[in-house]
Amino acid sequence: MKRWISTSLSKQFQRRSIQGLSFKSVRRHVESVNSFTSFEFTKVSNVQKNPPQKAIRVQQRNNKRGHIVNSILELKQMQKPLNAWLKHALKQLSSTHQATQMSIAGNHLLRDYSQKLEKLENEVNDEPAHHSRFAEVWLLTICALVALIIFIGGLTRLTESGLSMVNWSIHGRMLPSNDEEWEKEFDEYKKYPEYKQLNSEMTVDQFKNIFYYEYGHRMLGRFIGLVYFVGLGGCLLMPSVRRSLAKVDKRRFLTLGGLIGFQGLLGWYMVKSGLDDSEGSLMHKHSTIPRVSQYRLASHLATAFSVYAVALWSFLDLHYRRCMPKDAFVSRSTLSRLTSYRQKVFLPLMVLSLTTIFSGAFVAGLDAGLIYNEFPYMGESLVPPGLLNLAPFWENFFENPVTVQFQHRVLATLTATSLLVLAVYTRKVGIYRDLPRAAKVALNAITFTVCIQYLLGYLTLVNLVPVHLASTHQMGALTLFTFLFIYLFCHGKMLKLK
């Protein structure tokens, strides 16, 4: 390490003739790191091939960690002198070209220096990092539960069960246990528009069928909140797990909790829009039948995806730091090319895919899938009549069922075509071979999933939106979102300089 710093400083700075610049002051700090000359950084398990008794192995491990900690502290003390020396050098340069070259060289040196320091910190944190498995399992559990509640929420919407429970509380309540309690619950449901206009002939047994969906959906949401608080308490109260977490992890955990709480409140706010049919209400304005506002439904789905995204990103980050793959390290030119590809090609496609997914929420909210059940035509033409019947103009894209279905068709076709072109383009320009193995797997999964998702959308439409196909189509959207997110993580977080 000492030799590397000296060589880097010599190559980047000593060759430039700068009057009044003292290189000795920087080199003196380099020479102070004596521990690197006599210490070889190997993993704890490889200290000896045939280790003696357990007590001796523990002592060797502690000695090694102590050496690395001291070295890290000394390296950190060198950061300020290096930065100050670079600023001092830039002030003494008269030529703009020289200053630019000096700045580039200095930034490269400091970045390489930071990565060496990060590698040492990963070495010293190698053992505590394994304790992050608790947090990883916790976050992965939340991801699975959120995926499940999205699935149940889709069934609740498709079976029109969302308005069966007309009261809400934070702690929830038990299911009705006898006929008297069921009759009381059914009488509450009779007071609201859905029963009066659509289900006036419904029996108690039929009411139970739709009540179970909404009850399960709400109780699962509360269970997710319970899992969150139990897992968060474990991460903060267990010292070994707490030491393995960075500050950014704790901020993400708090964000995750805020989103879960907000999602619960937003769910009830959405249901309220389907219970109020008074003059001027959202239901009165947007629909002639009782149903929740499509705006609140789309917001509810978007928040669920946000909870899933935060939990998934946190899990991937923790898992990456614990099991850093060797193929994540690339050269500077390769990293620059992949970064440009991510920003100019992949991120716009990611936005397009999310737009398509959330436009599907408006299709579900307006029951727009029940009209024009042929493909690719809508009626007798590709472009149906009545696309822009509403005023003002923009309301057609959110409140006109014809326009909402048409735009979802167009967005889905554009998204599927673009992602397939992305897979071909990535291989043709040579980017595919530079990707980490995880990114290659994610890209192949994206290509396969988008084809299946497009086929599911077609089958759902032409079969008049059966529950099993529509719910599978919704989970296909979540699966595609998952692979897109993993691919984005591999590009944005996983790649490092060699």
Side-chain angles (χ1 to χ4, degrees), residues 118-141:
E118 181 182 358
K119 188 175 180 180
L120 289 175
E121 290 177 333
N122 289 337
E123 182 75 21
V124 76
N125 291 325
D126 181 66
E127 183 185 7
H130 290 283
H131 295 293
S132 67
R133 287 177 177 172
F134 174 84
E136 291 176 35
V137 173
W138 169 57
L139 291 168
L140 203 58
T141 302

PDB file of all heavy atoms in Angstrom, residues 118-141:
ATOM      1  N   GLU A 118     -11.557   2.123   1.147  1.00  0.00           N
ATOM      2  CA  GLU A 118     -12.810   1.383   1.277  1.00  0.00           C
ATOM      3  C   GLU A 118     -12.559  -0.122   1.312  1.00  0.00           C
ATOM      4  O   GLU A 118     -13.217  -0.867   2.046  1.00  0.00           O
ATOM      5  CB  GLU A 118     -13.730   1.722   0.103  1.00  0.00           C
ATOM      6  CG  GLU A 118     -15.083   1.025   0.157  1.00  0.00           C
ATOM      7  CD  GLU A 118     -15.942   1.350  -1.043  1.00  0.00           C
ATOM      8  OE1 GLU A 118     -15.494   2.147  -1.885  1.00  0.00           O
ATOM      9  OE2 GLU A 118     -17.044   0.800  -1.142  1.00  0.00           O
ATOM     10  N   LYS A 119     -11.576  -0.571   0.524  1.00  0.00           N
ATOM     11  CA  LYS A 119     -11.252  -1.991   0.518  1.00  0.00           C
ATOM     12  C   LYS A 119     -10.730  -2.438   1.884  1.00  0.00           C
ATOM     13  O   LYS A 119     -11.063  -3.520   2.377  1.00  0.00           O
ATOM     14  CB  LYS A 119     -10.212  -2.258  -0.570  1.00  0.00           C
ATOM     15  CG  LYS A 119      -9.929  -3.733  -0.802  1.00  0.00           C
ATOM     16  CD  LYS A 119      -8.976  -3.918  -1.964  1.00  0.00           C
ATOM     17  CE  LYS A 119      -8.707  -5.399  -2.198  1.00  0.00           C
ATOM     18  NZ  LYS A 119      -7.785  -5.606  -3.331  1.00  0.00           N
ATOM     19  N   LEU A 120      -9.901  -1.574   2.510  1.00  0.00           N
ATOM     20  CA  LEU A 120      -9.405  -1.906   3.844  1.00  0.00           C
ATOM     21  C   LEU A 120     -10.536  -1.944   4.867  1.00  0.00           C
ATOM     22  O   LEU A 120     -10.575  -2.796   5.746  1.00  0.00           O
ATOM     23  CB  LEU A 120      -8.343  -0.880   4.267  1.00  0.00           C
ATOM     24  CG  LEU A 120      -6.992  -0.952   3.544  1.00  0.00           C
ATOM     25  CD1 LEU A 120      -6.113   0.194   4.002  1.00  0.00           C
ATOM     26  CD2 LEU A 120      -6.322  -2.274   3.797  1.00  0.00           C
ATOM     27  N   GLU A 121     -11.459  -0.988   4.748  1.00  0.00           N
ATOM     28  CA  GLU A 121     -12.582  -0.965   5.694  1.00  0.00           C
ATOM     29  C   GLU A 121     -13.469  -2.188   5.514  1.00  0.00           C
ATOM     30  O   GLU A 121     -14.001  -2.728   6.486  1.00  0.00           O
ATOM     31  CB  GLU A 121     -13.379   0.323   5.508  1.00  0.00           C
ATOM     32  CG  GLU A 121     -12.632   1.560   5.986  1.00  0.00           C
ATOM     33  CD  GLU A 121     -13.406   2.842   5.725  1.00  0.00           C
ATOM     34  OE1 GLU A 121     -14.208   2.858   4.778  1.00  0.00           O
ATOM     35  OE2 GLU A 121     -13.197   3.798   6.462  1.00  0.00           O
ATOM     36  N   ASN A 122     -13.639  -2.629   4.272  1.00  0.00           N
ATOM     37  CA  ASN A 122     -14.384  -3.864   4.046  1.00  0.00           C
ATOM     38  C   ASN A 122     -13.674  -5.055   4.663  1.00  0.00           C
ATOM     39  O   ASN A 122     -14.287  -5.977   5.178  1.00  0.00           O
ATOM     40  CB  ASN A 122     -14.572  -4.092   2.549  1.00  0.00           C
ATOM     41  CG  ASN A 122     -15.542  -3.115   1.928  1.00  0.00           C
ATOM     42  OD1 ASN A 122     -16.376  -2.550   2.629  1.00  0.00           O
ATOM     43  ND2 ASN A 122     -15.431  -2.898   0.624  1.00  0.00           N
ATOM     44  N   GLU A 123     -12.318  -5.015   4.613  1.00  0.00           N
ATOM     45  CA  GLU A 123     -11.521  -6.089   5.210  1.00  0.00           C
ATOM     46  C   GLU A 123     -11.707  -6.149   6.715  1.00  0.00           C
ATOM     47  O   GLU A 123     -11.919  -7.208   7.298  1.00  0.00           O
ATOM     48  CB  GLU A 123     -10.039  -5.885   4.871  1.00  0.00           C
ATOM     49  CG  GLU A 123      -9.120  -6.966   5.402  1.00  0.00           C
ATOM     50  CD  GLU A 123      -9.223  -8.245   4.602  1.00  0.00           C
ATOM     51  OE1 GLU A 123      -9.686  -8.167   3.449  1.00  0.00           O
ATOM     52  OE2 GLU A 123      -8.865  -9.300   5.131  1.00  0.00           O
ATOM     53  N   VAL A 124     -11.672  -4.986   7.350  1.00  0.00           N
ATOM     54  CA  VAL A 124     -11.792  -4.971   8.799  1.00  0.00           C
ATOM     55  C   VAL A 124     -13.224  -5.253   9.232  1.00  0.00           C
ATOM     56  O   VAL A 124     -13.468  -5.748  10.329  1.00  0.00           O
ATOM     57  CB  VAL A 124     -11.305  -3.623   9.378  1.00  0.00           C
ATOM     58  CG1 VAL A 124     -12.317  -2.530   9.163  1.00  0.00           C
ATOM     59  CG2 VAL A 124     -10.983  -3.770  10.866  1.00  0.00           C
ATOM     60  N   ASN A 125     -14.186  -4.968   8.343  1.00  0.00           N
ATOM     61  CA  ASN A 125     -15.587  -5.221   8.665  1.00  0.00           C
ATOM     62  C   ASN A 125     -16.060  -6.551   8.099  1.00  0.00           C
ATOM     63  O   ASN A 125     -17.256  -6.800   8.019  1.00  0.00           O
ATOM     64  CB  ASN A 125     -16.479  -4.104   8.116  1.00  0.00           C
ATOM     65  CG  ASN A 125     -16.260  -2.798   8.852  1.00  0.00           C
ATOM     66  OD1 ASN A 125     -16.019  -2.807  10.048  1.00  0.00           O
ATOM     67  ND2 ASN A 125     -16.341  -1.695   8.140  1.00  0.00           N
ATOM     68  N   ASP A 126     -15.108  -7.384   7.680  1.00  0.00           N
ATOM     69  CA  ASP A 126     -15.487  -8.635   7.040  1.00  0.00           C
ATOM     70  C   ASP A 126     -16.332  -9.523   7.951  1.00  0.00           C
ATOM     71  O   ASP A 126     -17.340 -10.066   7.551  1.00  0.00           O
ATOM     72  CB  ASP A 126     -14.220  -9.380   6.618  1.00  0.00           C
ATOM     73  CG  ASP A 126     -14.542 -10.690   5.923  1.00  0.00           C
ATOM     74  OD1 ASP A 126     -15.120 -10.621   4.843  1.00  0.00           O
ATOM     75  OD2 ASP A 126     -14.217 -11.758   6.486  1.00  0.00           O
ATOM     76  N   GLU A 127     -15.929  -9.621   9.199  1.00  0.00           N
ATOM     77  CA  GLU A 127     -16.681 -10.475  10.126  1.00  0.00           C
ATOM     78  C   GLU A 127     -18.033  -9.868  10.500  1.00  0.00           C
ATOM     79  O   GLU A 127     -19.051 -10.538  10.403  1.00  0.00           O
ATOM     80  CB  GLU A 127     -15.845 -10.742  11.371  1.00  0.00           C
ATOM     81  CG  GLU A 127     -16.532 -11.684  12.343  1.00  0.00           C
ATOM     82  CD  GLU A 127     -15.752 -11.853  13.620  1.00  0.00           C
ATOM     83  OE1 GLU A 127     -14.751 -11.142  13.798  1.00  0.00           O
ATOM     84  OE2 GLU A 127     -16.170 -12.675  14.427  1.00  0.00           O
ATOM     85  N   PRO A 128     -18.122  -8.581  10.913  1.00  0.00           N
ATOM     86  CA  PRO A 128     -19.430  -8.042  11.232  1.00  0.00           C
ATOM     87  C   PRO A 128     -20.379  -8.018  10.049  1.00  0.00           C
ATOM     88  O   PRO A 128     -21.584  -8.024  10.231  1.00  0.00           O
ATOM     89  CB  PRO A 128     -19.114  -6.602  11.691  1.00  0.00           C
ATOM     90  CG  PRO A 128     -17.693  -6.623  12.099  1.00  0.00           C
ATOM     91  CD  PRO A 128     -17.053  -7.638  11.241  1.00  0.00           C
ATOM     92  N   ALA A 129     -19.835  -7.963   8.809  1.00  0.00           N
ATOM     93  CA  ALA A 129     -20.719  -7.910   7.652  1.00  0.00           C
ATOM     94  C   ALA A 129     -21.620  -9.134   7.571  1.00  0.00           C
ATOM     95  O   ALA A 129     -22.726  -9.055   7.051  1.00  0.00           O
ATOM     96  CB  ALA A 129     -19.889  -7.795   6.370  1.00  0.00           C
ATOM     97  N   HIS A 130     -21.147 -10.262   8.080  1.00  0.00           N
ATOM     98  CA  HIS A 130     -21.964 -11.461   8.036  1.00  0.00           C
ATOM     99  C   HIS A 130     -23.199 -11.331   8.922  1.00  0.00           C
ATOM    100  O   HIS A 130     -24.186 -12.027   8.705  1.00  0.00           O
ATOM    101  CB  HIS A 130     -21.130 -12.678   8.462  1.00  0.00           C
ATOM    102  CG  HIS A 130     -20.091 -13.057   7.453  1.00  0.00           C
ATOM    103  ND1 HIS A 130     -20.389 -13.738   6.291  1.00  0.00           N
ATOM    104  CD2 HIS A 130     -18.750 -12.816   7.409  1.00  0.00           C
ATOM    105  CE1 HIS A 130     -19.284 -13.935   5.588  1.00  0.00           C
ATOM    106  NE2 HIS A 130     -18.284 -13.378   6.245  1.00  0.00           N
ATOM    107  N   HIS A 131     -23.138 -10.444   9.896  1.00  0.00           N
ATOM    108  CA  HIS A 131     -24.304 -10.248  10.758  1.00  0.00           C
ATOM    109  C   HIS A 131     -25.412  -9.495  10.042  1.00  0.00           C
ATOM    110  O   HIS A 131     -26.530  -9.422  10.543  1.00  0.00           O
ATOM    111  CB  HIS A 131     -23.893  -9.495  12.022  1.00  0.00           C
ATOM    112  CG  HIS A 131     -22.947 -10.268  12.906  1.00  0.00           C
ATOM    113  ND1 HIS A 131     -23.314 -11.413  13.562  1.00  0.00           N
ATOM    114  CD2 HIS A 131     -21.639 -10.059  13.219  1.00  0.00           C
ATOM    115  CE1 HIS A 131     -22.285 -11.876  14.256  1.00  0.00           C
ATOM    116  NE2 HIS A 131     -21.256 -11.089  14.056  1.00  0.00           N
ATOM    117  N   SER A 132     -25.124  -8.903   8.869  1.00  0.00           N
ATOM    118  CA  SER A 132     -26.174  -8.221   8.120  1.00  0.00           C
ATOM    119  C   SER A 132     -27.151  -9.208   7.504  1.00  0.00           C
ATOM    120  O   SER A 132     -28.152  -8.802   6.918  1.00  0.00           O
ATOM    121  CB  SER A 132     -25.550  -7.359   7.016  1.00  0.00           C
ATOM    122  OG  SER A 132     -24.941  -8.169   6.027  1.00  0.00           O
ATOM    123  N   ARG A 133     -26.860 -10.503   7.618  1.00  0.00           N
ATOM    124  CA  ARG A 133     -27.798 -11.489   7.078  1.00  0.00           C
ATOM    125  C   ARG A 133     -29.163 -11.380   7.742  1.00  0.00           C
ATOM    126  O   ARG A 133     -30.188 -11.647   7.112  1.00  0.00           O
ATOM    127  CB  ARG A 133     -27.231 -12.898   7.277  1.00  0.00           C
ATOM    128  CG  ARG A 133     -26.075 -13.226   6.351  1.00  0.00           C
ATOM    129  CD  ARG A 133     -25.505 -14.589   6.631  1.00  0.00           C
ATOM    130  NE  ARG A 133     -24.447 -14.926   5.693  1.00  0.00           N
ATOM    131  CZ  ARG A 133     -23.669 -15.994   5.783  1.00  0.00           C
ATOM    132  NH1 ARG A 133     -23.843 -16.818   6.808  1.00  0.00           N
ATOM    133  NH2 ARG A 133     -22.737 -16.235   4.899  1.00  0.00           N
ATOM    134  N   PHE A 134     -29.177 -11.024   9.017  1.00  0.00           N
ATOM    135  CA  PHE A 134     -30.464 -10.835   9.693  1.00  0.00           C
ATOM    136  C   PHE A 134     -31.276  -9.752   8.987  1.00  0.00           C
ATOM    137  O   PHE A 134     -32.472  -9.934   8.705  1.00  0.00           O
ATOM    138  CB  PHE A 134     -30.229 -10.447  11.155  1.00  0.00           C
ATOM    139  CG  PHE A 134     -31.488 -10.099  11.903  1.00  0.00           C
ATOM    140  CD1 PHE A 134     -32.267 -11.092  12.484  1.00  0.00           C
ATOM    141  CD2 PHE A 134     -31.912  -8.777  12.015  1.00  0.00           C
ATOM    142  CE1 PHE A 134     -33.437 -10.781  13.166  1.00  0.00           C
ATOM    143  CE2 PHE A 134     -33.078  -8.452  12.693  1.00  0.00           C
ATOM    144  CZ  PHE A 134     -33.843  -9.462  13.265  1.00  0.00           C
ATOM    145  N   ALA A 135     -30.639  -8.619   8.697  1.00  0.00           N
ATOM    146  CA  ALA A 135     -31.331  -7.526   8.008  1.00  0.00           C
ATOM    147  C   ALA A 135     -31.719  -7.938   6.592  1.00  0.00           C
ATOM    148  O   ALA A 135     -32.792  -7.551   6.102  1.00  0.00           O
ATOM    149  CB  ALA A 135     -30.437  -6.279   7.971  1.00  0.00           C
ATOM    150  N   GLU A 136     -30.873  -8.719   5.929  1.00  0.00           N
ATOM    151  CA  GLU A 136     -31.196  -9.165   4.580  1.00  0.00           C
ATOM    152  C   GLU A 136     -32.444 -10.046   4.573  1.00  0.00           C
ATOM    153  O   GLU A 136     -33.336  -9.868   3.735  1.00  0.00           O
ATOM    154  CB  GLU A 136     -30.011  -9.929   3.994  1.00  0.00           C
ATOM    155  CG  GLU A 136     -28.794  -9.069   3.704  1.00  0.00           C
ATOM    156  CD  GLU A 136     -27.618  -9.900   3.214  1.00  0.00           C
ATOM    157  OE1 GLU A 136     -27.855 -10.888   2.490  1.00  0.00           O
ATOM    158  OE2 GLU A 136     -26.466  -9.575   3.560  1.00  0.00           O
ATOM    159  N   VAL A 137     -32.497 -10.995   5.497  1.00  0.00           N
ATOM    160  CA  VAL A 137     -33.673 -11.871   5.575  1.00  0.00           C
ATOM    161  C   VAL A 137     -34.924 -11.056   5.900  1.00  0.00           C
ATOM    162  O   VAL A 137     -36.004 -11.285   5.329  1.00  0.00           O
ATOM    163  CB  VAL A 137     -33.442 -12.973   6.634  1.00  0.00           C
ATOM    164  CG1 VAL A 137     -34.713 -13.778   6.862  1.00  0.00           C
ATOM    165  CG2 VAL A 137     -32.308 -13.893   6.198  1.00  0.00           C
ATOM    166  N   TRP A 138     -34.773 -10.085   6.793  1.00  0.00           N
ATOM    167  CA  TRP A 138     -35.904  -9.228   7.164  1.00  0.00           C
ATOM    168  C   TRP A 138     -36.413  -8.449   5.951  1.00  0.00           C
ATOM    169  O   TRP A 138     -37.632  -8.411   5.686  1.00  0.00           O
ATOM    170  CB  TRP A 138     -35.452  -8.287   8.281  1.00  0.00           C
ATOM    171  CG  TRP A 138     -36.391  -7.174   8.597  1.00  0.00           C
ATOM    172  CD1 TRP A 138     -37.699  -7.284   8.963  1.00  0.00           C
ATOM    173  CD2 TRP A 138     -36.091  -5.781   8.588  1.00  0.00           C
ATOM    174  NE1 TRP A 138     -38.235  -6.035   9.194  1.00  0.00           N
ATOM    175  CE2 TRP A 138     -37.271  -5.100   8.968  1.00  0.00           C
ATOM    176  CE3 TRP A 138     -34.950  -5.042   8.322  1.00  0.00           C
ATOM    177  CZ2 TRP A 138     -37.330  -3.713   9.065  1.00  0.00           C
ATOM    178  CZ3 TRP A 138     -35.000  -3.658   8.416  1.00  0.00           C
ATOM    179  CH2 TRP A 138     -36.178  -3.012   8.777  1.00  0.00           C
ATOM    180  N   LEU A 139     -35.519  -7.841   5.195  1.00  0.00           N
ATOM    181  CA  LEU A 139     -35.923  -7.041   4.028  1.00  0.00           C
ATOM    182  C   LEU A 139     -36.511  -7.928   2.943  1.00  0.00           C
ATOM    183  O   LEU A 139     -37.496  -7.546   2.278  1.00  0.00           O
ATOM    184  CB  LEU A 139     -34.720  -6.275   3.489  1.00  0.00           C
ATOM    185  CG  LEU A 139     -34.201  -5.155   4.387  1.00  0.00           C
ATOM    186  CD1 LEU A 139     -32.842  -4.668   3.910  1.00  0.00           C
ATOM    187  CD2 LEU A 139     -35.185  -3.990   4.425  1.00  0.00           C
ATOM    188  N   LEU A 140     -35.931  -9.100   2.750  1.00  0.00           N
ATOM    189  CA  LEU A 140     -36.467 -10.016   1.741  1.00  0.00           C
ATOM    190  C   LEU A 140     -37.856 -10.508   2.141  1.00  0.00           C
ATOM    191  O   LEU A 140     -38.730 -10.705   1.279  1.00  0.00           O
ATOM    192  CB  LEU A 140     -35.511 -11.193   1.568  1.00  0.00           C
ATOM    193  CG  LEU A 140     -35.586 -11.957   0.238  1.00  0.00           C
ATOM    194  CD1 LEU A 140     -35.337 -11.008  -0.925  1.00  0.00           C
ATOM    195  CD2 LEU A 140     -34.589 -13.090   0.210  1.00  0.00           C
ATOM    196  N   THR A 141     -38.079 -10.675   3.437  1.00  0.00           N
ATOM    197  CA  THR A 141     -39.410 -11.054   3.917  1.00  0.00           C
ATOM    198  C   THR A 141     -40.423  -9.958   3.626  1.00  0.00           C
ATOM    199  O   THR A 141     -41.556 -10.233   3.196  1.00  0.00           O
ATOM    200  CB  THR A 141     -39.365 -11.338   5.430  1.00  0.00           C
ATOM    201  OG1 THR A 141     -38.417 -12.372   5.692  1.00  0.00           O
ATOM    202  CG2 THR A 141     -40.731 -11.761   5.943  1.00  0.00           C
TER     203      THR A 141
END
